Short mmCIF file of all heavy atoms in Angstrom, two decimals:
data_model
loop_
_atom_site.label_atom_id
_atom_site.label_comp_id
_atom_site.label_asym_id
_atom_site.label_seq_id
_atom_site.Cartn_x
_atom_site.Cartn_y
_atom_site.Cartn_z
N GLU A 1379 -15.78 2.96 26.95
CA GLU A 1379 -14.68 3.92 26.94
C GLU A 1379 -14.47 4.53 25.57
O GLU A 1379 -14.07 5.67 25.46
CB GLU A 1379 -13.39 3.25 27.41
CG GLU A 1379 -13.33 3.06 28.90
CD GLU A 1379 -11.95 2.67 29.36
OE1 GLU A 1379 -10.96 3.16 28.80
OE2 GLU A 1379 -11.87 1.86 30.29
N LEU A 1380 -14.73 3.75 24.51
CA LEU A 1380 -14.54 4.25 23.15
C LEU A 1380 -15.39 5.49 22.91
O LEU A 1380 -14.96 6.42 22.24
CB LEU A 1380 -14.89 3.16 22.13
CG LEU A 1380 -14.71 3.52 20.65
CD1 LEU A 1380 -13.28 3.92 20.36
CD2 LEU A 1380 -15.12 2.36 19.78
N GLU A 1381 -16.58 5.52 23.49
CA GLU A 1381 -17.47 6.66 23.27
C GLU A 1381 -16.92 7.95 23.85
O GLU A 1381 -17.37 9.03 23.51
CB GLU A 1381 -18.85 6.34 23.85
CG GLU A 1381 -19.55 5.25 23.07
CD GLU A 1381 -20.80 4.73 23.76
OE1 GLU A 1381 -21.07 5.13 24.91
OE2 GLU A 1381 -21.50 3.94 23.12
N ALA A 1382 -15.94 7.86 24.74
CA ALA A 1382 -15.32 9.06 25.31
C ALA A 1382 -14.48 9.80 24.26
O ALA A 1382 -14.19 10.98 24.43
CB ALA A 1382 -14.45 8.69 26.50
N TYR A 1383 -14.12 9.13 23.20
CA TYR A 1383 -13.29 9.73 22.16
C TYR A 1383 -14.16 10.04 20.95
O TYR A 1383 -14.83 9.18 20.43
CB TYR A 1383 -12.14 8.79 21.78
CG TYR A 1383 -11.28 8.46 22.98
CD1 TYR A 1383 -11.38 7.23 23.61
CD2 TYR A 1383 -10.43 9.41 23.51
CE1 TYR A 1383 -10.62 6.94 24.73
CE2 TYR A 1383 -9.67 9.13 24.64
CZ TYR A 1383 -9.77 7.89 25.24
OH TYR A 1383 -9.03 7.62 26.35
N LYS A 1384 -14.10 11.27 20.51
CA LYS A 1384 -14.96 11.72 19.41
C LYS A 1384 -14.27 11.62 18.05
O LYS A 1384 -14.93 11.49 17.03
CB LYS A 1384 -15.42 13.16 19.64
CG LYS A 1384 -16.24 13.31 20.90
CD LYS A 1384 -17.48 12.44 20.84
CE LYS A 1384 -18.29 12.51 22.12
NZ LYS A 1384 -19.15 11.38 22.28
N LYS A 1385 -12.94 11.71 18.05
CA LYS A 1385 -12.20 11.62 16.78
C LYS A 1385 -10.89 10.89 17.05
O LYS A 1385 -10.08 11.34 17.86
CB LYS A 1385 -11.93 13.01 16.22
CG LYS A 1385 -11.37 12.99 14.80
CD LYS A 1385 -10.99 14.37 14.31
CE LYS A 1385 -12.16 15.06 13.69
NZ LYS A 1385 -11.75 16.33 13.02
N ILE A 1386 -10.70 9.76 16.36
CA ILE A 1386 -9.54 8.92 16.59
C ILE A 1386 -8.67 8.89 15.33
O ILE A 1386 -9.14 8.58 14.24
CB ILE A 1386 -9.97 7.49 16.96
CG1 ILE A 1386 -10.81 7.52 18.25
CG2 ILE A 1386 -8.75 6.58 17.14
CD1 ILE A 1386 -11.41 6.17 18.63
N PHE A 1387 -7.40 9.20 15.52
CA PHE A 1387 -6.40 9.12 14.45
C PHE A 1387 -5.90 7.69 14.34
O PHE A 1387 -5.61 7.05 15.35
CB PHE A 1387 -5.23 10.06 14.78
CG PHE A 1387 -4.06 9.93 13.85
CD1 PHE A 1387 -4.04 10.58 12.64
CD2 PHE A 1387 -2.97 9.15 14.20
CE1 PHE A 1387 -2.95 10.46 11.79
CE2 PHE A 1387 -1.87 9.02 13.36
CZ PHE A 1387 -1.87 9.68 12.15
N VAL A 1388 -5.81 7.17 13.12
CA VAL A 1388 -5.27 5.83 12.89
C VAL A 1388 -4.16 5.91 11.84
O VAL A 1388 -4.40 6.34 10.71
CB VAL A 1388 -6.36 4.83 12.43
CG1 VAL A 1388 -5.75 3.46 12.17
CG2 VAL A 1388 -7.48 4.73 13.46
N ALA A 1389 -2.96 5.50 12.23
CA ALA A 1389 -1.84 5.39 11.29
C ALA A 1389 -1.73 3.92 10.89
O ALA A 1389 -1.76 3.04 11.74
CB ALA A 1389 -0.54 5.86 11.93
N GLY A 1390 -1.63 3.67 9.60
CA GLY A 1390 -1.54 2.29 9.12
C GLY A 1390 -2.91 1.67 8.92
O GLY A 1390 -3.06 0.45 9.00
N GLY A 1391 -3.90 2.49 8.64
CA GLY A 1391 -5.27 2.00 8.51
C GLY A 1391 -5.70 1.54 7.14
O GLY A 1391 -6.88 1.32 6.90
N SER A 1392 -4.76 1.37 6.24
CA SER A 1392 -5.15 1.04 4.86
C SER A 1392 -5.38 -0.44 4.63
O SER A 1392 -6.13 -0.82 3.73
CB SER A 1392 -4.11 1.57 3.88
OG SER A 1392 -2.86 0.96 4.10
N LYS A 1393 -4.74 -1.31 5.43
CA LYS A 1393 -4.89 -2.75 5.20
C LYS A 1393 -4.59 -3.50 6.48
O LYS A 1393 -4.14 -2.92 7.48
CB LYS A 1393 -3.97 -3.22 4.08
CG LYS A 1393 -2.50 -2.99 4.33
CD LYS A 1393 -1.66 -3.39 3.14
CE LYS A 1393 -0.20 -3.05 3.42
NZ LYS A 1393 0.66 -3.38 2.32
N GLY A 1394 -4.85 -4.78 6.47
CA GLY A 1394 -4.52 -5.65 7.59
C GLY A 1394 -5.18 -5.24 8.89
O GLY A 1394 -6.35 -4.87 8.92
N VAL A 1395 -4.41 -5.30 9.97
CA VAL A 1395 -4.93 -4.98 11.29
C VAL A 1395 -5.44 -3.55 11.35
O VAL A 1395 -6.48 -3.27 11.93
CB VAL A 1395 -3.83 -5.21 12.37
CG1 VAL A 1395 -4.28 -4.71 13.73
CG2 VAL A 1395 -3.45 -6.68 12.44
N GLY A 1396 -4.71 -2.63 10.73
CA GLY A 1396 -5.13 -1.23 10.75
C GLY A 1396 -6.50 -1.01 10.13
O GLY A 1396 -7.32 -0.25 10.65
N ARG A 1397 -6.75 -1.69 9.04
CA ARG A 1397 -8.07 -1.56 8.39
C ARG A 1397 -9.16 -2.15 9.28
O ARG A 1397 -10.27 -1.61 9.37
CB ARG A 1397 -8.04 -2.23 7.02
CG ARG A 1397 -9.34 -2.13 6.24
CD ARG A 1397 -9.74 -0.64 6.05
NE ARG A 1397 -11.00 -0.50 5.38
CZ ARG A 1397 -11.13 -0.36 4.07
NH1 ARG A 1397 -10.06 -0.31 3.28
NH2 ARG A 1397 -12.31 -0.24 3.53
N LYS A 1398 -8.84 -3.25 9.95
CA LYS A 1398 -9.82 -3.84 10.88
C LYS A 1398 -10.11 -2.89 12.03
O LYS A 1398 -11.25 -2.78 12.48
CB LYS A 1398 -9.32 -5.18 11.41
CG LYS A 1398 -9.34 -6.26 10.35
CD LYS A 1398 -8.84 -7.58 10.88
CE LYS A 1398 -8.65 -8.54 9.75
NZ LYS A 1398 -9.52 -9.67 9.76
N VAL A 1399 -9.09 -2.19 12.51
CA VAL A 1399 -9.28 -1.20 13.57
C VAL A 1399 -10.22 -0.09 13.10
O VAL A 1399 -11.17 0.28 13.79
CB VAL A 1399 -7.93 -0.63 14.04
CG1 VAL A 1399 -8.11 0.61 14.91
CG2 VAL A 1399 -7.12 -1.68 14.79
N VAL A 1400 -9.95 0.44 11.90
CA VAL A 1400 -10.82 1.49 11.35
C VAL A 1400 -12.25 0.99 11.25
O VAL A 1400 -13.19 1.67 11.69
CB VAL A 1400 -10.31 1.94 9.96
CG1 VAL A 1400 -11.34 2.82 9.26
CG2 VAL A 1400 -8.98 2.68 10.08
N ASN A 1401 -12.44 -0.19 10.69
CA ASN A 1401 -13.79 -0.74 10.52
C ASN A 1401 -14.49 -0.93 11.85
O ASN A 1401 -15.68 -0.62 11.98
CB ASN A 1401 -13.74 -2.06 9.74
CG ASN A 1401 -13.36 -1.86 8.30
OD1 ASN A 1401 -13.44 -0.77 7.75
ND2 ASN A 1401 -12.94 -2.93 7.66
N GLN A 1402 -13.78 -1.44 12.85
CA GLN A 1402 -14.40 -1.67 14.15
C GLN A 1402 -14.81 -0.37 14.83
O GLN A 1402 -15.87 -0.30 15.44
CB GLN A 1402 -13.49 -2.49 15.06
CG GLN A 1402 -13.45 -3.94 14.67
CD GLN A 1402 -12.81 -4.82 15.73
OE1 GLN A 1402 -12.19 -4.33 16.67
NE2 GLN A 1402 -12.95 -6.11 15.58
N ILE A 1403 -13.98 0.63 14.72
CA ILE A 1403 -14.34 1.93 15.31
C ILE A 1403 -15.61 2.46 14.66
O ILE A 1403 -16.54 2.90 15.34
CB ILE A 1403 -13.20 2.96 15.17
CG1 ILE A 1403 -12.00 2.54 16.02
CG2 ILE A 1403 -13.68 4.36 15.57
CD1 ILE A 1403 -10.74 3.32 15.73
N LEU A 1404 -15.65 2.40 13.34
CA LEU A 1404 -16.80 2.94 12.62
C LEU A 1404 -18.06 2.11 12.87
O LEU A 1404 -19.16 2.67 12.95
CB LEU A 1404 -16.50 3.02 11.12
CG LEU A 1404 -15.41 4.01 10.73
CD1 LEU A 1404 -15.12 3.90 9.24
CD2 LEU A 1404 -15.79 5.44 11.10
N GLU A 1405 -17.93 0.80 13.01
CA GLU A 1405 -19.09 -0.07 13.20
C GLU A 1405 -19.62 -0.07 14.62
O GLU A 1405 -20.82 -0.17 14.83
CB GLU A 1405 -18.73 -1.52 12.81
CG GLU A 1405 -18.52 -1.72 11.34
CD GLU A 1405 -17.93 -3.09 11.00
OE1 GLU A 1405 -17.79 -3.94 11.90
OE2 GLU A 1405 -17.60 -3.29 9.82
N LYS A 1406 -18.73 0.03 15.60
CA LYS A 1406 -19.14 -0.18 16.99
C LYS A 1406 -19.27 1.10 17.80
O LYS A 1406 -19.68 1.06 18.94
CB LYS A 1406 -18.16 -1.11 17.69
CG LYS A 1406 -18.17 -2.50 17.07
CD LYS A 1406 -17.33 -3.45 17.84
CE LYS A 1406 -17.43 -4.82 17.18
NZ LYS A 1406 -16.89 -5.86 17.98
N SER A 1407 -18.90 2.21 17.26
CA SER A 1407 -18.95 3.43 18.06
C SER A 1407 -20.21 4.22 17.76
O SER A 1407 -20.90 3.97 16.77
CB SER A 1407 -17.71 4.28 17.77
OG SER A 1407 -17.76 4.78 16.46
N ASP A 1408 -20.47 5.15 18.61
CA ASP A 1408 -21.64 6.00 18.45
C ASP A 1408 -21.18 7.38 18.00
O ASP A 1408 -21.05 8.29 18.82
CB ASP A 1408 -22.40 6.06 19.77
CG ASP A 1408 -23.69 6.85 19.62
OD1 ASP A 1408 -24.17 7.02 18.49
OD2 ASP A 1408 -24.20 7.31 20.65
N GLY A 1409 -20.93 7.50 16.72
CA GLY A 1409 -20.55 8.80 16.17
C GLY A 1409 -19.08 9.13 16.26
O GLY A 1409 -18.68 10.25 15.95
N THR A 1410 -18.25 8.18 16.68
CA THR A 1410 -16.82 8.45 16.72
C THR A 1410 -16.28 8.50 15.30
O THR A 1410 -16.51 7.60 14.51
CB THR A 1410 -16.08 7.36 17.52
OG1 THR A 1410 -16.60 7.32 18.84
CG2 THR A 1410 -14.58 7.63 17.57
N ALA A 1411 -15.56 9.57 14.99
CA ALA A 1411 -14.98 9.75 13.66
C ALA A 1411 -13.56 9.18 13.64
O ALA A 1411 -12.89 9.10 14.67
CB ALA A 1411 -14.95 11.22 13.28
N VAL A 1412 -13.13 8.80 12.45
CA VAL A 1412 -11.78 8.27 12.25
C VAL A 1412 -11.06 9.17 11.24
O VAL A 1412 -11.63 9.54 10.21
CB VAL A 1412 -11.81 6.82 11.71
CG1 VAL A 1412 -10.41 6.35 11.31
CG2 VAL A 1412 -12.40 5.88 12.74
N VAL A 1413 -9.82 9.50 11.56
CA VAL A 1413 -8.92 10.15 10.61
C VAL A 1413 -7.80 9.15 10.34
O VAL A 1413 -7.05 8.79 11.25
CB VAL A 1413 -8.34 11.46 11.17
CG1 VAL A 1413 -7.33 12.05 10.19
CG2 VAL A 1413 -9.44 12.46 11.47
N ALA A 1414 -7.72 8.66 9.11
CA ALA A 1414 -6.73 7.64 8.76
C ALA A 1414 -5.66 8.25 7.87
O ALA A 1414 -5.97 8.88 6.85
CB ALA A 1414 -7.41 6.49 8.04
N LEU A 1415 -4.42 8.06 8.26
CA LEU A 1415 -3.28 8.51 7.44
C LEU A 1415 -2.86 7.34 6.57
O LEU A 1415 -2.49 6.27 7.08
CB LEU A 1415 -2.13 8.95 8.33
CG LEU A 1415 -0.87 9.44 7.60
CD1 LEU A 1415 -1.17 10.70 6.79
CD2 LEU A 1415 0.26 9.68 8.58
N VAL A 1416 -2.94 7.51 5.25
CA VAL A 1416 -2.59 6.46 4.30
C VAL A 1416 -1.69 7.02 3.21
O VAL A 1416 -1.71 8.22 2.94
CB VAL A 1416 -3.85 5.81 3.67
CG1 VAL A 1416 -4.73 5.18 4.74
CG2 VAL A 1416 -4.65 6.81 2.87
N ARG A 1417 -0.92 6.17 2.59
CA ARG A 1417 -0.02 6.61 1.52
C ARG A 1417 -0.64 6.54 0.13
O ARG A 1417 -0.27 7.28 -0.76
CB ARG A 1417 1.27 5.78 1.53
CG ARG A 1417 2.17 6.10 2.70
CD ARG A 1417 3.42 5.29 2.67
NE ARG A 1417 3.06 3.89 2.94
CZ ARG A 1417 3.89 2.88 2.91
NH1 ARG A 1417 5.14 3.08 2.61
NH2 ARG A 1417 3.48 1.67 3.18
N ASP A 1418 -1.58 5.65 -0.05
CA ASP A 1418 -2.14 5.36 -1.37
C ASP A 1418 -3.42 6.17 -1.62
O ASP A 1418 -4.41 6.00 -0.90
CB ASP A 1418 -2.44 3.87 -1.45
CG ASP A 1418 -2.89 3.41 -2.82
OD1 ASP A 1418 -3.36 4.24 -3.62
OD2 ASP A 1418 -2.78 2.20 -3.08
N PRO A 1419 -3.43 7.04 -2.64
CA PRO A 1419 -4.62 7.83 -2.93
C PRO A 1419 -5.87 6.98 -3.22
O PRO A 1419 -6.98 7.37 -2.88
CB PRO A 1419 -4.23 8.65 -4.16
CG PRO A 1419 -2.74 8.71 -4.12
CD PRO A 1419 -2.30 7.41 -3.51
N ALA A 1420 -5.69 5.80 -3.82
CA ALA A 1420 -6.83 4.93 -4.11
C ALA A 1420 -7.45 4.41 -2.80
O ALA A 1420 -8.68 4.32 -2.67
CB ALA A 1420 -6.41 3.76 -5.00
N VAL A 1421 -6.61 4.08 -1.83
CA VAL A 1421 -7.11 3.64 -0.53
C VAL A 1421 -7.80 4.80 0.18
O VAL A 1421 -8.84 4.62 0.82
CB VAL A 1421 -5.96 3.05 0.33
CG1 VAL A 1421 -6.43 2.77 1.74
CG2 VAL A 1421 -5.40 1.80 -0.31
N ALA A 1422 -7.24 5.99 0.05
CA ALA A 1422 -7.86 7.17 0.66
C ALA A 1422 -9.27 7.38 0.11
O ALA A 1422 -10.21 7.66 0.86
CB ALA A 1422 -7.00 8.41 0.43
N GLU A 1423 -9.41 7.23 -1.19
CA GLU A 1423 -10.72 7.38 -1.82
C GLU A 1423 -11.71 6.34 -1.27
O GLU A 1423 -12.86 6.66 -0.96
CB GLU A 1423 -10.58 7.25 -3.33
CG GLU A 1423 -11.85 7.55 -4.09
CD GLU A 1423 -11.65 7.52 -5.60
OE1 GLU A 1423 -10.52 7.76 -6.07
OE2 GLU A 1423 -12.63 7.25 -6.30
N GLU A 1424 -11.24 5.12 -1.12
CA GLU A 1424 -12.08 4.03 -0.59
C GLU A 1424 -12.49 4.33 0.86
O GLU A 1424 -13.66 4.18 1.23
CB GLU A 1424 -11.28 2.73 -0.66
CG GLU A 1424 -12.00 1.51 -0.17
CD GLU A 1424 -11.11 0.28 -0.24
OE1 GLU A 1424 -10.38 0.11 -1.25
OE2 GLU A 1424 -11.13 -0.50 0.73
N LEU A 1425 -11.54 4.76 1.69
CA LEU A 1425 -11.84 5.06 3.08
C LEU A 1425 -12.75 6.28 3.21
O LEU A 1425 -13.63 6.33 4.07
CB LEU A 1425 -10.56 5.27 3.88
CG LEU A 1425 -9.74 4.02 4.17
CD1 LEU A 1425 -8.39 4.39 4.78
CD2 LEU A 1425 -10.48 3.07 5.08
N ASN A 1426 -12.54 7.28 2.37
CA ASN A 1426 -13.37 8.49 2.42
C ASN A 1426 -14.82 8.20 2.08
O ASN A 1426 -15.71 8.98 2.44
CB ASN A 1426 -12.80 9.58 1.52
CG ASN A 1426 -11.63 10.30 2.15
OD1 ASN A 1426 -11.59 10.50 3.35
ND2 ASN A 1426 -10.67 10.69 1.33
N ALA A 1427 -15.08 7.08 1.41
CA ALA A 1427 -16.45 6.69 1.08
C ALA A 1427 -17.18 6.12 2.30
O ALA A 1427 -18.41 5.99 2.28
CB ALA A 1427 -16.46 5.68 -0.06
N LEU A 1428 -16.43 5.77 3.36
CA LEU A 1428 -17.04 5.23 4.57
C LEU A 1428 -17.56 6.37 5.44
O LEU A 1428 -16.85 7.35 5.68
CB LEU A 1428 -16.02 4.41 5.36
CG LEU A 1428 -15.40 3.21 4.66
CD1 LEU A 1428 -14.32 2.59 5.53
CD2 LEU A 1428 -16.46 2.18 4.31
N ASP A 1429 -18.77 6.23 5.92
CA ASP A 1429 -19.37 7.25 6.77
C ASP A 1429 -18.57 7.39 8.06
O ASP A 1429 -18.34 6.40 8.76
CB ASP A 1429 -20.82 6.87 7.07
CG ASP A 1429 -21.57 7.99 7.77
OD1 ASP A 1429 -21.33 9.16 7.44
OD2 ASP A 1429 -22.39 7.68 8.65
N GLY A 1430 -18.12 8.58 8.36
CA GLY A 1430 -17.37 8.83 9.59
C GLY A 1430 -15.88 8.75 9.44
O GLY A 1430 -15.14 8.94 10.41
N CYS A 1431 -15.38 8.47 8.23
CA CYS A 1431 -13.94 8.32 8.02
C CYS A 1431 -13.41 9.41 7.11
O CYS A 1431 -13.99 9.68 6.04
CB CYS A 1431 -13.63 6.95 7.42
SG CYS A 1431 -11.85 6.61 7.32
N THR A 1432 -12.33 10.03 7.52
CA THR A 1432 -11.60 10.97 6.69
C THR A 1432 -10.20 10.41 6.49
O THR A 1432 -9.47 10.20 7.46
CB THR A 1432 -11.50 12.36 7.36
OG1 THR A 1432 -12.81 12.84 7.60
CG2 THR A 1432 -10.73 13.33 6.49
N ALA A 1433 -9.85 10.14 5.25
CA ALA A 1433 -8.52 9.63 4.95
C ALA A 1433 -7.66 10.77 4.41
O ALA A 1433 -8.11 11.56 3.58
CB ALA A 1433 -8.60 8.50 3.94
N ILE A 1434 -6.45 10.84 4.92
CA ILE A 1434 -5.49 11.85 4.49
C ILE A 1434 -4.30 11.13 3.88
O ILE A 1434 -3.74 10.22 4.49
CB ILE A 1434 -5.05 12.72 5.68
CG1 ILE A 1434 -6.27 13.47 6.22
CG2 ILE A 1434 -3.93 13.66 5.29
CD1 ILE A 1434 -6.03 14.22 7.49
N VAL A 1435 -3.95 11.53 2.67
CA VAL A 1435 -2.81 10.92 2.00
C VAL A 1435 -1.53 11.58 2.52
O VAL A 1435 -1.39 12.80 2.49
CB VAL A 1435 -2.90 11.09 0.47
CG1 VAL A 1435 -1.67 10.51 -0.22
CG2 VAL A 1435 -4.16 10.42 -0.06
N GLY A 1436 -0.64 10.74 3.03
CA GLY A 1436 0.63 11.24 3.55
C GLY A 1436 1.48 10.09 4.02
O GLY A 1436 1.08 8.93 3.97
N ASP A 1437 2.66 10.41 4.50
CA ASP A 1437 3.63 9.41 4.91
C ASP A 1437 3.95 9.58 6.39
O ASP A 1437 4.33 10.68 6.83
CB ASP A 1437 4.91 9.56 4.08
CG ASP A 1437 5.86 8.40 4.21
OD1 ASP A 1437 5.76 7.64 5.20
OD2 ASP A 1437 6.71 8.23 3.32
N ALA A 1438 3.78 8.52 7.16
CA ALA A 1438 4.07 8.57 8.60
C ALA A 1438 5.54 8.82 8.90
O ALA A 1438 5.90 9.14 10.03
CB ALA A 1438 3.62 7.27 9.27
N MET A 1439 6.38 8.70 7.90
CA MET A 1439 7.80 8.98 8.09
C MET A 1439 8.08 10.47 8.21
O MET A 1439 9.17 10.87 8.60
CB MET A 1439 8.62 8.38 6.93
CG MET A 1439 8.46 6.88 6.79
SD MET A 1439 9.06 5.98 8.21
CE MET A 1439 10.81 6.06 7.90
N ASP A 1440 7.09 11.30 7.88
CA ASP A 1440 7.22 12.75 7.98
C ASP A 1440 6.43 13.24 9.20
O ASP A 1440 5.20 13.19 9.20
CB ASP A 1440 6.72 13.43 6.71
CG ASP A 1440 6.84 14.93 6.78
OD1 ASP A 1440 7.98 15.44 6.75
OD2 ASP A 1440 5.79 15.60 6.92
N GLN A 1441 7.13 13.69 10.23
CA GLN A 1441 6.48 14.05 11.49
C GLN A 1441 5.43 15.14 11.31
O GLN A 1441 4.35 15.08 11.90
CB GLN A 1441 7.53 14.48 12.53
CG GLN A 1441 6.97 14.70 13.93
CD GLN A 1441 6.41 16.10 14.14
OE1 GLN A 1441 6.95 17.07 13.64
NE2 GLN A 1441 5.31 16.18 14.86
N LYS A 1442 5.71 16.15 10.53
CA LYS A 1442 4.76 17.26 10.36
C LYS A 1442 3.49 16.78 9.67
O LYS A 1442 2.39 17.25 9.99
CB LYS A 1442 5.42 18.41 9.58
CG LYS A 1442 4.76 19.73 9.81
CD LYS A 1442 4.87 20.13 11.27
CE LYS A 1442 4.25 21.50 11.50
NZ LYS A 1442 4.08 21.80 12.92
N THR A 1443 3.61 15.85 8.74
CA THR A 1443 2.43 15.27 8.08
C THR A 1443 1.56 14.55 9.11
O THR A 1443 0.33 14.70 9.11
CB THR A 1443 2.86 14.29 6.97
OG1 THR A 1443 3.58 15.02 5.98
CG2 THR A 1443 1.67 13.60 6.34
N VAL A 1444 2.19 13.79 9.98
CA VAL A 1444 1.45 13.07 11.03
C VAL A 1444 0.77 14.08 11.95
O VAL A 1444 -0.42 13.95 12.26
CB VAL A 1444 2.39 12.14 11.84
CG1 VAL A 1444 1.65 11.51 13.01
CG2 VAL A 1444 2.99 11.07 10.94
N GLU A 1445 1.50 15.08 12.38
CA GLU A 1445 0.95 16.10 13.28
C GLU A 1445 -0.25 16.80 12.65
O GLU A 1445 -1.29 16.98 13.30
CB GLU A 1445 2.03 17.11 13.65
CG GLU A 1445 1.57 18.17 14.62
CD GLU A 1445 2.66 19.17 14.95
OE1 GLU A 1445 3.87 18.87 14.81
OE2 GLU A 1445 2.30 20.29 15.37
N ASN A 1446 -0.13 17.20 11.40
CA ASN A 1446 -1.23 17.89 10.72
C ASN A 1446 -2.46 16.99 10.60
O ASN A 1446 -3.59 17.44 10.76
CB ASN A 1446 -0.80 18.39 9.35
CG ASN A 1446 0.18 19.55 9.44
OD1 ASN A 1446 0.25 20.24 10.45
ND2 ASN A 1446 0.96 19.75 8.39
N ALA A 1447 -2.24 15.70 10.30
CA ALA A 1447 -3.36 14.78 10.16
C ALA A 1447 -4.03 14.51 11.52
O ALA A 1447 -5.25 14.37 11.60
CB ALA A 1447 -2.88 13.46 9.54
N MET A 1448 -3.24 14.46 12.57
CA MET A 1448 -3.75 14.15 13.91
C MET A 1448 -4.41 15.35 14.59
O MET A 1448 -5.19 15.17 15.53
CB MET A 1448 -2.59 13.65 14.78
CG MET A 1448 -3.04 13.06 16.10
SD MET A 1448 -1.65 12.62 17.19
CE MET A 1448 -0.81 11.37 16.25
N ASP A 1449 -4.16 16.54 14.10
CA ASP A 1449 -4.68 17.75 14.74
C ASP A 1449 -6.21 17.68 14.86
O ASP A 1449 -6.90 17.42 13.88
CB ASP A 1449 -4.27 18.98 13.94
CG ASP A 1449 -4.46 20.27 14.70
OD1 ASP A 1449 -4.69 20.22 15.93
OD2 ASP A 1449 -4.40 21.34 14.06
N GLY A 1450 -6.71 17.87 16.06
CA GLY A 1450 -8.15 17.80 16.29
C GLY A 1450 -8.64 16.45 16.80
O GLY A 1450 -9.80 16.31 17.16
#
Side-chain angles (χ1 to χ4, degrees):
E1379 283 192 37
L1380 181 59
E1381 292 169 353
Y1383 302 104
K1384 298 300 177 201
K1385 189 185 273 189
I1386 300 174
F1387 172 83
V1388 179
S1392 62
K1393 60 184 176 181
V1395 172
R1397 182 57 183 267
K1398 289 180 190 246
V1399 167
V1400 169
N1401 291 342
Q1402 285 193 348
I1403 293 168
L1404 294 175
E1405 290 170 6
K1406 296 186 178 192
S1407 68
D1408 185 20
T1410 301
V1412 172
V1413 176
L1415 180 64
V1416 300
R1417 289 181 291 176
D1418 186 339
V1421 172
E1423 187 175 333
E1424 181 182 318
L1425 288 171
N1426 281 325
L1428 300 175
D1429 189 37
C1431 187
T1432 301
I1434 297 173
V1435 177
D1437 193 340
M1439 300 297 282
D1440 179 71
Q1441 188 275 322
K1442 202 63 178 168
T1443 297
V1444 174
E1445 182 181 338
N1446 290 338
M1448 191 186 297
D1449 194 13

